[in-house]
Amino acid sequence: MTDITIAIEDGNEAAMPANTTVKEAISELMSNKQRKRTVAVSVNGEILDLSASLTEDTKFIPIQIGSDESLAILRHSTSHVMAEAVREIYGDDVKVAIGPSIEDGFYYDFDCKQPFTPEDLEKIEVKMTEIVRSAQPFTRTEVTSDTAIKQFEADGEKYKVELIQDLGETTVSLYQQGNFTDLCRGPHLPDTSWIKAFKLQRVAGAYWRGDEKNEMLQRIYGTAFFDKKALKKHLNAIEEAKKRDHRKLGKELELFTIQDEIGPGLILWQPKGALLRKLIEDYWKDAHYRNDYELLYTPHIARQDLWKTSGHLDFYGENMYAPMDIDGVAYQLKPMNCPFHIGVYTSRKRSYREFPLRWCELGTVYRYERAGALHGLLRVRGFTQDDAHIFCMVEQLEEEIYNILDLNLEILKTFGFDQYEIYLSTRPEKYVGSDDHWEQSTEALKLALEKKGLEYKLDPGEGVFYGPKIDIKIKDQLGRSWQCSTIQVDFNLPERFNIKYTGADNSEHQPIMIHRALMGSLERFIGVLIEHYAGVFPLWFAPVQARIMNITDAQADYCNEVYAKLRKAGIRIEKDLRNEKLNYKIREAQMAKVPYMLIIGDKEKENNTVTVRLRDGKNIADMQIDDFAKKINDECVAERGI
């Protein structure tokens, strides 16, 4: 038998017979400790099971417990175990669809007449535990598509048949553990005993293949880890996330409301939420003014022809709302602000001496989202982008991108985000603009990131069709990532609108356009802020900084005087003069996350002071009213770092 060379990337190598399995190879090349942590291997970007046979010279990278790849394999394997358990319990009454791993776990879709209940999930978990303990191997076979179709048709598994037919492949791979066989590319764990900790979490409805015209299936979500400690930590994080849910806190803190009578995905900002938004907007405008931006305001609708010229009807038509007839002309709500800023640009001739032009706008846009995708402030149908567009020359790109990054990170840090992941996305297969412009722009983005000393990951081919981009994903207190900032270089719109500037050579040239959003959208950003801080906002943008409360009705007049004086001093204050016990008022203020409580009794009224209590329950010394106002303002300045 012919020998082949099998090697670990940057590690041992050995000559072994052809058709040696991965498991046999790692037994030869790795220590016992390493083998116990290896669930699969990667060969030229393809992940192989340990049972896979190697037929030619091979160099592989071990996929070991602790990596993202190993977790995905574990969760995918657990989804198969769950499907096996469901079939064993409910038999032919259930048909299986698909069961992938996802970011935080896995799911499997089932066609079942009876809805799954929490009690059903408990039964399924018990059966899964039996399967796990039986150490059933995951066995891969390759068969012709015709053979697989006949097998699944015989079992009444119409969803598998449809998938195979749509693949259009000559052969497909099947995986079997116990009595359960599934259509699957793999890879999987060696056997079910590798599954150490799992939890089924909830049931949701899901249309087959995401199409509302298809059958509604039942999707069981779960998660899995290689040890119970990691599972417990994850489940605790989920519980903490539930407490921080911005929809729940938004209602409790009276920040915003969404009502079906108004329309799903449309936000009604209540007074406290509106004040929170104003504080964020004011800071944003001031920060941009300091960084030499100019503010624009543009309309909410435009002639439909504008969106034809911009290409939005071609590329985003399904996300735009239907046109409206105005004086016999079709108009549409704007999904983007960009064409309006170009309209400002073309209002007169431009010279290179004006560049760079930095224009920003808190512009409200409207995009259609399916009702099932709407999610509080995070996914809406009308939202306000913290938009800006910069018009410049190619040679100015690097400095402009550096300046954007500088402002971007300053704003994120001010709001408490100093952990993030940065991605540089390069030219996709389909693109507009010259190769030279793409190379110059990509290099400018890269150099700006490096000059700023920022680590980033390359995302090849994931740029938008009109130019390369930088994306920043911020991390919140629970370590969750949120897509936030984006910086995009655009060759498309300047070309579509044929915008020009007069260069130093007195000839006309086409400018480069940079799109950038630092928060993304105010709605989404505020939703993230609520969850990041669990509603306990820093003093500088807390919608209510203090609440006055009296001990008896005898202090009501003095409370009103203090309230008026602090409000004139710019303190965001409210009062609670109800005929309730003081402890009850304090408890309500704490539930409302109010930073300071000003308690007023006869002593405070007599001395023209206030007793100050913090929301954590601590008391500080009595203060004069002016001193308290100064304390608040000084703290706000310190928090903002301005």
Side-chain angles (χ1 to χ4, degrees):
M1 185 179 290
T2 305
D3 280 354
I4 59 175
T5 300
I6 303 176
I8 302 174
E9 190 85 30
D10 301 325
N12 298 332
E13 69 174 55
M16 301 182 197
N19 289 317
T20 293
T21 66
V22 173
K23 183 177 181 180
E24 292 167 340
I26 66 174
S27 294
E28 181 76 21
L29 299 172
M30 300 171 70
S31 69
N32 185 51
K33 184 178 180 180
Q34 289 177 313
R35 289 199 304 272
K36 287 182 177 179
R37 295 187 60 79
T38 302
V39 301
V41 298
S42 174
V43 179
N44 297 324
E46 181 184 2
I47 300 180
L48 302 180
D49 300 301
L50 296 189
S51 61
S53 296
L54 304 175
T55 58
E56 58 186 10
D57 291 349
T58 304
K59 186 175 287 187
F60 64 78
I61 300 171
I63 306 275
Q64 296 190 315
I65 293 173
S67 66
D68 291 342
E69 294 89 346
S70 71
L71 206 52
I73 293 169
L74 166 71
R75 289 167 173 173
H76 190 188
S77 298
T78 310
S79 78
H80 279 227
V81 170
M82 178 174 71
E84 180 185 358
V86 169
R87 287 301 303 272
E88 286 199 14
I89 295 172
Y90 303 99
D92 293 337
D93 289 341
V94 174
K95 303 304 176 187
V96 295
I98 57 172
S101 65
I102 54 178
E103 184 177 356
D104 290 324
F106 60 86
Y107 68 79
Y108 212 112
D109 290 344
F110 300 97
D111 188 347
C112 181
K113 294 178 181 178
Q114 296 298 320
F116 291 118
T117 66
E119 291 74 25
D120 288 320
L121 296 190
E122 291 177 8
K123 290 180 187 177
I124 296 167
E125 283 187 345
V126 170
K127 179 59 69 175
M128 289 174 68
T129 301
E130 293 175 12
I131 294 168
V132 166
R133 288 174 178 166
S134 65
Q136 297 176 2
F138 289 93
T139 305
R140 176 189 174 98
T141 57
E142 289 194 7
V143 299
T144 66
S145 292
D146 288 342
T147 299
I149 287 173
K150 288 177 183 177
Q151 180 176 335
F152 285 118
E153 281 181 337
D155 294 335
E157 297 291 0
K158 64 176 183 177
Y159 301 105
K160 300 297 179 184
V161 172
E162 182 180 326
L163 289 172
I164 297 169
Q165 291 171 336
D166 286 354
L167 283 173
E169 302 287 344
T170 304
T171 61
V172 294
S173 58
L174 306 179
Y175 275 85
Q176 180 177 355
Q177 86 274 358
N179 295 318
F180 179 72
T181 301
D182 206 351
L183 171 71
C184 185
R185 294 182 184 276
H188 283 285
L189 298 171
D191 65 64
T192 60
S193 69
W194 286 66
I195 301 170
K196 304 297 184 184
F198 65 88
K199 180 68 179 175
L200 301 188
Q201 296 166 291
R202 60 190 176 92
V203 182
Y207 290 107
W208 168 235
R209 309 191 90 166
D211 190 335
E212 296 174 3
K213 297 177 183 177
N214 291 336
E215 296 93 331
M216 172 65 79
L217 307 178
Q218 293 188 69
R219 175 171 294 176
I220 300 180
Y221 284 94
T223 191
F225 290 86
F226 282 103
D227 64 81
K228 292 182 179 179
K229 186 177 178 181
L231 174 62
K232 184 178 180 181
K233 181 180 178 181
H234 177 75
L235 295 178
N236 287 341
I238 290 175
E239 289 305 309
E240 181 61 28
K242 288 179 181 177
K243 295 176 186 175
R244 292 169 176 259
D245 190 319
H246 75 281
R247 295 167 299 178
K248 172 178 172 287
L249 289 173
K251 182 178 182 180
E252 291 174 357
L253 301 179
E254 297 183 324
L255 299 176
F256 68 92
T257 183
I258 303 169
Q259 299 176 2
D260 285 340
E261 294 82 2
I262 304 294
L266 302 174
I267 308 301
L268 301 176
W269 293 99
Q270 296 176 266
K272 290 176 185 176
L275 187 50
L276 171 63
R277 177 169 168 156
K278 175 188 180 298
L279 293 164
I280 294 171
E281 290 183 2
D282 288 349
Y283 165 77
W284 184 91
K285 291 174 183 177
D286 291 343
H288 280 73
Y289 183 80
R290 291 195 307 273
N291 283 270
D292 205 22
Y293 282 77
E294 296 175 296
L295 190 65
L296 300 182
Y297 288 98
T298 60
H300 290 245
I301 63 172
R303 289 175 181 263
Q304 190 179 60
D305 287 346
L306 181 74
W307 309 115
K308 291 178 182 176
T309 302
S310 70
H312 286 103
L313 274 179
D314 294 330
F315 291 101
Y316 298 100
E318 70 277 9
N319 299 113
M320 295 177 67
Y321 286 99
M324 61 190 88
D325 185 285
I326 301 177
D327 297 332
V329 178
Y331 282 74
Q332 281 185 274
L333 285 166
K334 65 176 178 180
M336 306 271 189
N337 299 302
C338 333
F340 293 98
H341 291 200
I342 288 176
V344 175
Y345 183 95
T346 58
S347 63
R348 63 173 174 80
K349 292 191 69 172
R350 302 290 174 178
S351 165
Y352 76 98
R353 297 180 185 276
E354 299 176 70
F355 283 174
L357 291 169
R358 304 184 188 101
W359 292 336
C360 64
E361 177 184 12
L362 292 168
T364 301
V365 298
Y366 303 88
R367 299 179 192 172
Y368 171 70
E369 294 279 359
R370 289 184 177 181
L374 298 173
H375 185 80
L377 296 175
L378 304 181
R379 203 74 177 264
V380 294
R381 288 177 171 168
F383 60 92
T384 302
Q385 283 188 310
D386 72 315
D387 228 341
H389 296 94
I390 297 168
F391 299 88
C392 64
M393 298 178 285
V394 173
E395 54 268 32
Q396 295 173 315
L397 263 179
E398 182 187 337
E399 183 178 359
E400 285 308 302
I401 293 162
Y402 180 88
N403 290 338
I404 293 170
L405 287 169
D406 220 18
L407 176 59
N408 200 159
L409 300 185
E410 174 194 322
I411 288 176
L412 293 180
K413 185 177 180 181
T414 301
F415 284 103
F417 299 109
D418 52 13
Q419 298 292 320
Y420 34 74
E421 293 176 332
I422 301 175
Y423 297 86
L424 172 57
S425 302
T426 59
R427 184 174 61 204
E429 288 186 15
K430 295 182 179 181
Y431 63 93
V432 297
S434 70
D435 289 349
D436 285 345
H437 273 168
W438 271 90
E439 288 172 13
Q440 286 176 303
S441 300
T442 304
E443 187 66 12
L445 292 170
K446 179 174 175 288
L447 290 174
L449 287 167
E450 291 173 352
K451 182 179 177 183
K452 188 70 182 163
L454 297 171
E455 293 184 8
Y456 64 91
K457 297 176 183 177
L458 206 60
D459 209 357
E462 292 302 314
V464 284
F465 73 94
Y466 52 75
K469 63 172 181 168
I470 291 171
D471 287 322
I472 300 178
K473 294 184 178 180
I474 57 176
K475 291 195 173 183
D476 67 10
Q477 287 283 359
L478 299 183
R480 298 173 299 179
S481 292
W482 303 90
Q483 174 60 52
C484 185
S485 315
T486 186
I487 304 167
Q488 303 174 355
V489 180
D490 185 3
F491 315 115
N492 178 54
L493 287 184
E495 184 176 316
R496 279 179 172 270
F497 284 92
N498 194 30
I499 62 173
K500 304 290 184 182
Y501 70 90
T502 303
D505 59 359
N506 222 28
S507 299
E508 287 194 333
H509 302 271
Q510 187 171 289
I512 298 291
M513 186 177 181
I514 304 173
H515 305 251
R516 45 112 293 199
L518 309 185
M519 298 175 183
S521 82
L522 284 181
E523 284 75 9
R524 180 178 173 81
F525 191 73
I526 291 173
V528 174
L529 280 175
I530 293 170
E531 299 203 4
H532 180 62
Y533 287 106
V536 185
F537 300 119
L539 189 66
W540 79 267
F541 66 85
V544 177
Q545 294 171 318
R547 181 182 290 182
I548 298 171
M549 52 191 74
N550 58 331
I551 296 176
T552 69
D553 289 342
Q555 301 94 37
D557 290 344
Y558 178 62
C559 286
N560 285 322
E561 290 176 21
V562 174
Y563 172 84
K565 191 168 185 179
L566 288 174
R567 194 168 175 104
K568 284 182 181 178
I571 307 303
R572 298 186 293 279
I573 191 161
E574 60 185 16
K575 53 190 174 181
D576 183 353
L577 306 184
R578 294 174 299 166
N579 186 21
E580 298 283 356
K581 291 182 179 180
L582 180 62
N583 285 342
Y584 179 80
K585 294 182 182 181
I586 290 172
R587 176 62 179 160
E588 284 210 334
Q590 288 175 324
M591 294 291 290
K593 323 289 187 188
V594 177
Y596 287 102
M597 285 156 270
L598 305 183
I599 299 169
I600 295 175
D602 289 337
K603 181 187 70 172
E604 289 80 13
K605 178 179 178 180
E606 184 178 342
N607 297 329
N608 287 319
T609 61
V610 291
T611 291
V612 182
R613 182 185 178 94
L614 306 180
R615 60 185 156 198
D616 63 6
K618 295 178 183 177
N619 290 324
I620 57 179
D622 291 2
M623 301 182 71
Q624 296 290 325
I625 299 167
D626 290 342
D627 290 340
F628 177 75
K630 183 177 185 304
K631 173 182 171 61
I632 295 292
N633 288 324
D634 288 348
E635 283 186 31
C636 290
V637 169
E639 284 181 349
R640 280 179 300 187
I642 299 173

